[in-house]
Amino acid sequence: MEQQIEAPIKHSTESISFSNTLNPATIAQIIVNEGKLKPEIRDIRIAQRYFDGHNDIERKERVYYDKDRKKYDNPAASNVREKSNFFRQLVQQKQDYALAKTFILKLSNEKANEVDLTKDEYGKAWKDFCDNQLFKKSYDLAGQAINNGIAWAYLWIDGNGDLQIKDIPADLIYPVWHDRQHTSLDYLVYNFIQLRYNSFSPEQIEYAEYWTAKERRLFNVSNGYAIENDFIDDSGNPIFSQMTNGVNWGKVPFIAFKGTTDEKSLLFFVKEQIDSYDKLDSHSIDALIDDLDPLLILKGISPSVNGLVEARELAKITRTMALDTDGDAHYIQAQTAINAYLEKMQALRKDIFKFGYGVDFEDARFGGNPNQLTIKSLYQDLDTYTDGLERHFQNFIDQLKYFFDMWWELTGRGSFEIAQSYKVLVKFDRSMMINQSAQIADTVQLMNTGVSKKTIMEFNPVVQDVEMEMARLEEEKKAQEAENSLFNFPQSEQPESTEKTEPKETEKEEKQE
């Protein structure tokens, strides 16, 4: 059994520090051992299990106890395990609401409040990065942040010199934060397992990547953490210790995208309600199944299990039953309080969507043709959550910008200092259900009120791409001008001047002579 290293860690309110005498392998082991004891990793894995549809109701049992309190399974009793999918629905609802549409990216600098992404070289690079990488990855990261409370992205430069971004499972990341607010990293260990096939049976190899702002080390820890298990090159240098062209990023190249400030999974707020709903749903079905057959009451029959079973089977076969003089047999139909189950389940459903910041589309207020004010009130909780998610996403982009600007300089595209002078702002294009007819009517009312055409188009639900729509309007305007004779004045010949011109000086002199 591997000997556990006692962690020489100084715990404080702000950060964790390590003794200078500890080598990277030992520090990595301490970080992983400490991290596995924290409830955050356990909560992340429970949330992932619920998202995959494996709720706690799967462990439900129907048992009975004998006189010695020994537990037995009860095969005669129904044991339905009815699972709800509320958690997956709540996570995907927020994910789709915030990032089903690509977010709006805006750049500004000292010269312009809004940089043209099609003309500015730095802006073009951001647009290309978003189109090829970030738009797709942000949707996945948002889902993980909501589900787990935190998501992790890893940045690197590939062989073509392009900046790449990859999401890493949050339960494999063990961070050591520099501050209590978790804004910057001192250390990070990525602990993962790889399957290696040397034959038909795979071998599991455990690795630990150890990161600081200055180095990266990769350890094979299948047989324990030791500095001897560090991967090194022929020169004795740690493999992966530096990045492109021998220049470090200057920071740990992992970025956290938080779902909430306290990094709590959405499941934390609704787990008890979901479990109660599943239990009521399952037990109500059990009650209905168990009570389909009436209960047979026997008097004058041996109370032993074998005697009762024999009497019941005989009654089924012969439809008769012989009893003593004082005996009796009659059926009682059980009454299941199904309405009580349904009422409580409906109340729990309401709580699940309330505490989970969701929108229940089975709400009666969605019936008919709700106006936009009613729809906005139904989306209020979801909007509140998404406001916070958008702030955390902006913080994610702010951290990403440092690595983008470093990549900008490392690959010879431009100066890091000049890149830092730009600001990158994002805004979610939320996918709210709308009363389209009402919003189009509101759009018409905005005309001739001093509001710009671009703003009106952004408000118009019919317009999907404002820039494309404005380009179409410009083309239509030019086409109309070309067809309309009022805009095509013929080029008339210049008439001869009727003004008399003064004779030249030489002509005057000739006339005088």
Side-chain angles (χ1 to χ4, degrees):
M1 183 176 180
E2 183 182 346
Q3 183 179 0
Q4 294 296 318
I5 297 177
E6 207 171 304
I9 299 177
K10 301 173 184 177
H11 291 277
S12 68
T13 57
E14 292 297 325
S15 62
I16 296 175
S17 61
F18 296 92
S19 169
N20 293 330
T21 61
L22 298 178
N23 63 52
T26 303
I27 295 175
Q29 182 176 7
I30 292 169
I31 293 172
V32 172
N33 288 347
E34 286 271 312
K36 287 181 177 179
L37 296 176
K38 293 180 180 179
E40 289 84 354
I41 299 296
R42 177 203 64 200
D43 292 345
I44 287 172
R45 289 174 179 168
I46 292 173
Q48 290 173 347
R49 176 163 59 83
Y50 267 65
F51 184 82
D52 291 337
H54 299 295
N55 300 4
D56 281 354
I57 194 65
E58 290 184 343
R59 304 170 186 174
K60 174 174 166 277
E61 298 177 316
R62 294 296 299 275
V63 299
Y64 66 91
Y65 295 87
D66 63 15
K67 61 181 181 178
D68 298 322
R69 301 301 299 166
K70 187 176 180 181
K71 186 173 75 171
Y72 297 90
D73 288 331
N74 187 357
S78 170
N79 188 23
V80 172
R81 301 179 180 95
E82 187 74 6
K83 296 178 291 186
S84 65
N85 66 343
F86 286 120
F87 184 61
R88 189 183 189 96
Q89 182 180 354
L90 286 169
V91 171
Q92 291 187 328
Q93 188 179 83
K94 291 168 182 56
Q95 185 182 18
D96 290 340
Y97 184 59
L99 283 161
K101 299 178 182 178
T102 55
F103 58 83
I104 300 167
L105 178 74
K106 292 185 178 181
L107 268 67
S108 63
N109 57 20
E110 297 174 353
K111 297 179 181 179
N113 291 328
E114 185 171 349
V115 173
D116 189 339
L117 301 182
T118 63
K119 297 179 180 178
D120 185 271
E121 289 302 317
Y122 184 75
K124 285 180 184 178
W126 263 103
K127 187 178 185 304
D128 290 342
F129 179 62
C130 286
D131 290 343
N132 298 325
Q133 293 276 335
L134 196 56
F135 284 146
K136 305 169 189 173
K137 195 56 63 180
S138 295
Y139 181 82
D140 296 335
L141 287 168
Q144 294 173 38
I146 297 163
N147 188 83
N148 303 328
I150 191 170
W152 287 96
Y154 167 60
L155 280 299
W156 84 100
I157 300 173
D158 66 15
N160 296 322
D162 295 325
L163 183 64
Q164 300 288 340
I165 182 170
K166 177 182 180 182
D167 57 309
I168 304 292
D171 59 325
L172 303 181
I173 298 292
Y174 298 89
V176 176
W177 297 95
H178 179 70
D179 56 346
R180 187 174 51 194
Q181 290 75 28
H182 293 187
T183 58
S184 62
L185 291 164
D186 283 337
Y187 304 87
L188 182 141
V189 178
Y190 171 30
N191 183 219
F192 61 97
I193 292 176
Q194 185 180 73
L195 293 180
R196 175 182 293 173
Y197 281 86
N198 296 320
S199 62
F200 286 103
S201 299
E203 175 188 5
Q204 287 191 354
I205 303 176
E206 184 179 359
Y207 294 97
E209 283 189 14
Y210 167 81
W211 285 89
T212 70
K214 296 180 179 180
E215 65 177 338
R216 170 190 178 187
R217 292 173 179 265
L218 178 63
F219 299 98
N220 181 341
V221 297
S222 299
N223 298 316
Y225 288 77
I227 195 65
E228 293 79 15
N229 293 331
D230 190 5
F231 284 85
I232 59 175
D233 60 21
D234 295 336
S235 302
N237 298 317
I239 295 178
F240 305 132
S241 63
Q242 293 183 327
M243 297 303 292
T244 306
N245 300 326
V247 180
N248 288 330
W249 285 108
K251 288 185 178 182
V252 177
F254 285 77
I255 308 174
F257 178 8
K258 299 180 182 181
T260 59
T261 302
D262 54 5
E263 301 166 20
K264 288 190 181 298
S265 165
L266 183 66
L267 185 65
F268 177 84
F269 305 102
V270 293
K271 185 177 184 300
E272 293 298 328
Q273 288 75 19
I274 290 175
D275 288 342
S276 297
Y277 186 97
D278 290 347
K279 287 176 184 176
L280 277 174
D281 197 8
S282 300
H283 283 299
S284 65
I285 297 174
D286 285 339
L288 287 172
I289 294 173
D290 289 341
D291 295 343
L292 286 175
D293 293 330
L295 185 65
L296 178 61
I297 306 298
L298 297 172
K299 182 179 177 182
I301 296 291
S302 170
S304 67
V305 174
N306 290 336
L308 293 173
V309 170
E310 184 179 349
R312 179 64 182 244
E313 293 302 316
L314 186 62
K316 283 184 178 180
I317 297 171
T318 64
R319 306 291 295 172
T320 59
M321 184 174 292
L323 300 170
D324 293 337
T325 305
D326 296 332
D328 185 23
H330 62 276
Y331 287 99
I332 294 178
Q333 187 69 49
Q335 298 296 323
T336 303
I338 192 65
N339 288 333
Y341 279 113
L342 293 175
E343 288 176 8
K344 184 57 182 174
M345 286 172 63
Q346 193 62 33
L348 283 168
R349 179 188 179 94
K350 185 176 180 180
D351 287 345
I352 289 168
F353 280 97
K354 179 67 178 176
F355 302 148
Y357 299 91
V359 179
D360 186 1
F361 291 102
E362 293 187 13
D363 192 304
R365 288 173 291 177
F366 276 110
N369 188 28
N371 59 43
Q372 204 60 33
L373 188 62
T374 300
I375 293 173
K376 285 183 178 179
S377 69
L378 291 166
Y379 273 80
Q380 183 176 355
D381 291 331
L382 181 56
D383 271 321
T384 299
Y385 186 96
T386 308
D387 286 341
L389 188 68
E390 186 167 353
R391 287 193 296 271
H392 292 302
F393 185 62
Q394 180 64 58
N395 184 53
F396 172 82
I397 293 295
D398 291 342
Q399 295 180 72
L400 174 62
K401 185 179 181 299
Y402 169 86
F403 295 100
F404 187 93
D405 294 349
M406 284 291 292
W407 163 80
W408 181 257
E409 181 171 88
L410 290 171
T411 53
R413 287 171 168 81
S415 165
F416 176 81
E417 286 73 18
I418 294 176
Q420 285 278 284
S421 67
Y422 285 80
K423 290 183 179 180
V424 179
L425 298 175
V426 296
K427 187 172 180 60
F428 291 160
D429 188 5
R430 301 181 184 181
S431 302
M432 179 185 287
M433 188 187 92
I434 62 172
N435 185 325
Q436 197 171 74
S437 299
Q439 190 160 341
I440 290 174
D442 291 341
T443 304
V444 173
Q445 291 181 9
L446 284 174
M447 296 179 180
N448 302 319
T449 61
V451 179
S452 69
K453 288 184 178 180
K454 188 173 183 181
T455 300
I456 293 173
M457 286 184 190
E458 289 174 348
F459 185 73
N460 193 332
V462 177
V463 177
Q464 300 297 321
D465 189 318
V466 174
E467 299 298 333
M468 184 182 292
E469 188 67 19
M470 292 190 72
R472 287 174 177 171
L473 284 173
E474 187 63 28
E475 289 176 5
E476 288 180 1
K477 181 181 176 182
K478 290 179 180 178
Q480 289 174 356
E481 290 177 354
E483 294 174 1
N484 196 328
S485 59
L486 293 175
F487 294 99
N488 294 282
F489 297 106
Q491 297 293 328
S492 59
E493 296 181 0
Q494 294 294 330
E496 294 183 3
S497 175
T498 57
E499 294 182 3
K500 294 182 178 180
T501 58
E502 291 292 329
K504 296 179 181 179
E505 292 295 327
T506 55
E507 292 178 354
K508 288 181 180 180
E509 292 175 358
E510 290 175 358
K511 288 180 179 180
Q512 288 176 356
E513 291 177 359

